[in-house]
Amino acid sequence: MAITPYIIKSLPGIKRDGTRFENGFYVDGQWCRFQRGLPRKMWGYRRLTNELSEISRGLSAYNQNGLLYIASGGASFIEQFSVNPNGVITSVSDRTPSGFATDPLHLWTFDTSFDSVGVSPGAYLLAHPGKNLAEIDSDATSDLYWGLVNDTTALTTNSAPAVSGGVVSLYPYVFVFGSDGFVAWSVPNNPNDWSSTGAGEAYITSQKVVAALPLRAGPGNAPAGLFWSLDSLIRCTFVGGDPVFQFDTISAQTSILSSQGVIEYDGIFYWCGVDRFLQFNGVVREIPNQLNQNWFFDNLNYAQRQKVFAYKVPRFGEIWWCYPRGNATECTHAVIYNIRENTWYDTELPNDGRSAGKFATVYQYPILTGVKEDNGSYKLWQHEFGVDEIDGTIVNSIPSYFQTADISFVADQQQPRNRALRCAMIEPDFVQVKDMTVQITGRANARAPEVTTDELVIRDPAQTDQPYQQVVFFKETRREMRFIFKSNQVGGDYQMGQCIAHIEVSDGTVLG
């Protein structure tokens, strides 16, 4: 039978749940994302500094006068770094409040708000060290701290009530929240006044409030927000008068896995529940996930659930949930929901993992913190930069690969045939920098052991000038056949196009 050209293309996303043979999605990958339905290498990351004194348990990012102010909270310190547009740290400040007590259970909530009536009017950093890293429902309370966001001095204690949850700015009000459904709000435009006219408090549910975010403004640009308790989602709306705010329960039958696992993307809110992924866009809905939901929940270290954090990469339409996998005590992996492509995939995180992340809007790059100790300190990383790992003067390649779905005549819905395939050649089609490799893997049947070829080189198009250098030759037969494409060179990058395999019908054995 004549050799037939076959377009190597699977459905976008990496399917981990179920068997590999049951679907048309890519079945494996690392440091690989999807755009226009096709795989491409994720971008790289570079070290901004290695001066973090301890593992970060929360980040804040604020832009002003061409500088990005990054605040990091840990067990013992609040440290602030200013970064210029070139990624250079211009100052490092210890902003730890005087007499601050070390606690390994600190999990920080940060926000900013404007104070127009204080001694020093301006934008203020709000920092709350919840003692809930081990238990999301902990009722241990902590004070709120604050200080000018672009200052270098130590933060001071705010007069807000001590709470177990955290802080959120619903401008011009500041809210704190915690156990027993308690919330309190400041006088407008005065984040340090919690007792004068305009301030107030309420109990909005019976369970602890663990997270909050601003909501699209109500009528007349009135402040509004969402509050997540352990079992419900509550909407807060400004109404004025004696109540000041109205609280409406949107859902009393929801859940939340981690207080840092909630994120807004273009006015829609996404979070991870204890057993599913959820979103709110006027109503609470489950986010369908048939690709890696079991992969995530079956392997999540629930004892470390509060370390799960979310951040976004709007450039590629992604929300990342970083989580401790297996017996890991720090976030070692991430599951990724691509809103634009409406699909899911995953990756292992670099350098033993990350502990906190924040997308800095003006700066355009996500900022993440490392968990690997280096001479008594930890590293602050800028992600989505270049294609390599840049650690000072050391540049390392980032391994990236993906594996296609099975190609099989048996699975052909139009004309199923009990025959194996023989691949003679592959015509690669990549936007490619540096050499890549390709392997053929597969089985004689769905339960047979996999047999994988050696890696063959796909030459960098800029370094090839002969037709035979531009294709890859094989003599491989599989009844169920897949292709593995890899990139692992310094400066290496790829975007897949329409790769073509030349295949023909072979024998029909189902024996391994």
Side-chain angles (χ1 to χ4, degrees):
M1 182 176 178
I3 292 179
T4 304
Y6 178 90
I7 297 175
I8 303 174
K9 186 176 182 180
S10 305
L11 296 174
I14 297 176
K15 189 174 187 295
R16 301 293 190 177
D17 296 349
T19 71
R20 287 187 165 187
F21 193 53
E22 71 175 357
N23 70 93
F25 291 90
Y26 294 87
V27 299
D28 194 11
Q30 166 66 17
W31 211 250
C32 172
R33 59 167 43 110
F34 293 84
Q35 189 177 47
R36 304 184 310 280
L38 294 166
R40 64 173 295 168
K41 181 181 176 180
M42 291 176 175
W43 285 348
Y45 44 93
R46 67 172 171 177
R47 172 172 60 83
L48 293 177
T49 182
N50 60 354
E51 297 184 67
L52 275 174
S53 300
E54 56 192 352
I55 292 179
S56 176
R57 298 301 180 195
L59 286 177
S60 170
Y62 186 86
N63 298 89
Q64 190 175 76
N65 291 330
L67 291 176
L68 171 66
Y69 294 92
I70 301 170
S72 171
S76 306
F77 303 102
I78 302 175
E79 298 171 295
Q80 184 168 289
F81 305 86
S82 59
V83 187
N84 70 19
N86 296 319
V88 177
I89 300 289
T90 60
S91 68
V92 181
S93 306
D94 182 357
R95 306 207 65 186
T96 309
S98 176
F100 184 73
T102 298
D103 195 323
L105 299 180
H106 281 154
L107 186 62
W108 291 81
T109 307
F110 290 102
D111 211 334
T112 55
S113 187
F114 193 80
D115 178 8
S116 63
V117 300
V119 176
S120 302
Y124 276 73
L125 176 67
L126 307 166
H128 181 266
K131 299 174 183 178
N132 48 36
L133 187 64
E135 298 174 337
I136 191 172
D137 58 355
S138 169
D139 61 3
T141 62
S142 302
D143 289 329
L144 176 67
Y145 299 99
W146 75 321
L148 285 167
V149 73
N150 60 353
D151 204 349
T152 59
T153 59
L155 302 184
T156 58
T157 304
N158 187 279
S159 63
V163 293
S164 61
V167 61
V168 66
S169 174
L170 307 183
Y171 188 77
Y173 294 86
V174 171
F175 277 72
V176 292
F177 49 86
S179 299
D180 303 319
F182 176 78
V183 299
W185 57 92
S186 70
V187 171
N189 288 308
N190 191 350
N192 199 34
D193 187 346
W194 298 77
S195 58
S196 302
T197 301
E201 60 184 46
Y203 289 87
I204 62 176
T205 182
S206 60
Q207 293 271 14
K208 178 181 177 180
V209 179
V210 298
L213 286 174
L215 184 62
R216 293 186 295 266
N221 202 33
L226 290 175
F227 290 84
W228 282 262
S229 79
L230 296 174
D231 66 352
S232 58
L233 178 63
I234 297 121
R235 177 170 49 205
C236 166
T237 309
F238 177 82
V239 293
D242 289 338
V244 186
F245 288 95
Q246 174 181 298
F247 299 91
D248 305 302
T249 300
I250 294 171
S251 173
Q253 294 293 319
T254 188
S255 66
I256 182 170
L257 179 71
S258 165
S259 57
Q260 294 193 331
V262 184
I263 195 166
E264 182 214 339
Y265 190 111
D266 289 347
I268 303 175
F269 298 83
Y270 301 84
W271 71 99
C272 186
V274 296
D275 53 7
R276 56 181 178 153
F277 295 92
L278 298 159
Q279 66 175 341
F280 173 75
N281 187 16
V283 294
V284 176
R285 295 186 184 277
E286 182 174 345
I287 309 171
N289 180 1
Q290 298 182 7
L291 301 189
N292 58 25
Q293 184 155 306
N294 293 339
W295 167 267
F296 175 78
F297 286 105
D298 290 350
N299 295 285
L300 168 70
N301 185 348
Y302 269 91
Q304 306 293 330
R305 60 183 283 181
Q306 270 288 74
K307 293 177 181 176
V308 175
F309 68 91
Y311 76 95
K312 58 187 176 182
V313 184
R315 173 68 172 80
F316 295 102
E318 296 171 342
I319 295 174
W320 291 49
W321 280 279
C322 302
Y323 69 102
R325 186 171 178 82
N327 295 321
T329 58
E330 300 292 346
C331 294
T332 56
H333 291 72
V335 290
I336 302 160
Y337 177 46
N338 191 311
I339 297 168
R340 202 170 296 151
E341 302 285 326
N342 191 27
T343 193
W344 292 82
Y345 37 97
D346 63 271
T347 190
E348 184 176 358
L349 296 170
N351 315 115
D352 295 341
R354 300 287 189 257
S355 67
K358 186 79 173 179
F359 175 70
T361 51
V362 176
Y363 194 62
Q364 89 187 61
Y365 302 107
I367 305 298
L368 284 90
T369 54
V371 301
K372 191 173 183 179
E373 186 177 358
D374 182 12
N375 294 321
S377 60
Y378 298 84
K379 296 175 182 178
L380 185 69
W381 297 94
Q382 170 191 311
H383 277 233
E384 302 299 329
F385 180 87
V387 295
D388 298 312
E389 175 188 283
I390 304 173
D391 189 352
T393 59
I394 301 172
V395 179
N396 296 314
S397 64
I398 302 176
S400 174
Y401 67 85
F402 62 91
Q403 186 174 159
T404 68
D406 280 290
I407 300 169
S408 172
F409 285 136
V410 177
D412 189 338
Q413 298 298 315
Q414 302 299 320
Q415 189 180 0
R417 288 171 287 177
N418 188 26
R419 289 289 184 269
L421 305 92
R422 180 181 292 114
C423 179
M425 183 176 69
I426 295 176
E427 297 181 50
D429 179 34
F430 287 92
V431 177
Q432 179 185 341
V433 180
K434 298 297 181 71
D435 290 349
M436 296 177 62
T437 63
V438 60
Q439 295 170 275
I440 289 177
T441 189
R443 303 161 294 191
N445 63 72
R447 292 190 173 185
E450 294 191 354
V451 179
T452 305
T453 68
D454 293 334
E455 296 181 353
L456 297 183
V457 176
I458 302 174
R459 296 283 298 276
D460 182 346
Q463 305 300 320
T464 60
D465 54 12
Q466 299 296 324
Y468 72 89
Q469 297 176 320
Q470 298 161 359
V471 297
V472 182
F473 294 98
F474 282 100
K475 290 182 180 179
E476 294 295 325
T477 299
R478 304 286 189 278
R479 194 162 174 267
E480 300 169 12
M481 180 180 291
R482 298 189 303 277
F483 298 91
I484 305 170
F485 295 93
K486 297 182 181 179
S487 171
N488 190 17
Q489 290 195 14
V490 171
D493 192 18
Y494 66 85
Q495 297 180 49
M496 189 183 188
Q498 188 166 281
C499 297
I500 297 174
H502 292 247
I503 61 175
E504 61 183 342
V505 175
S506 184
D507 58 57
T509 181
V510 296
L511 299 178

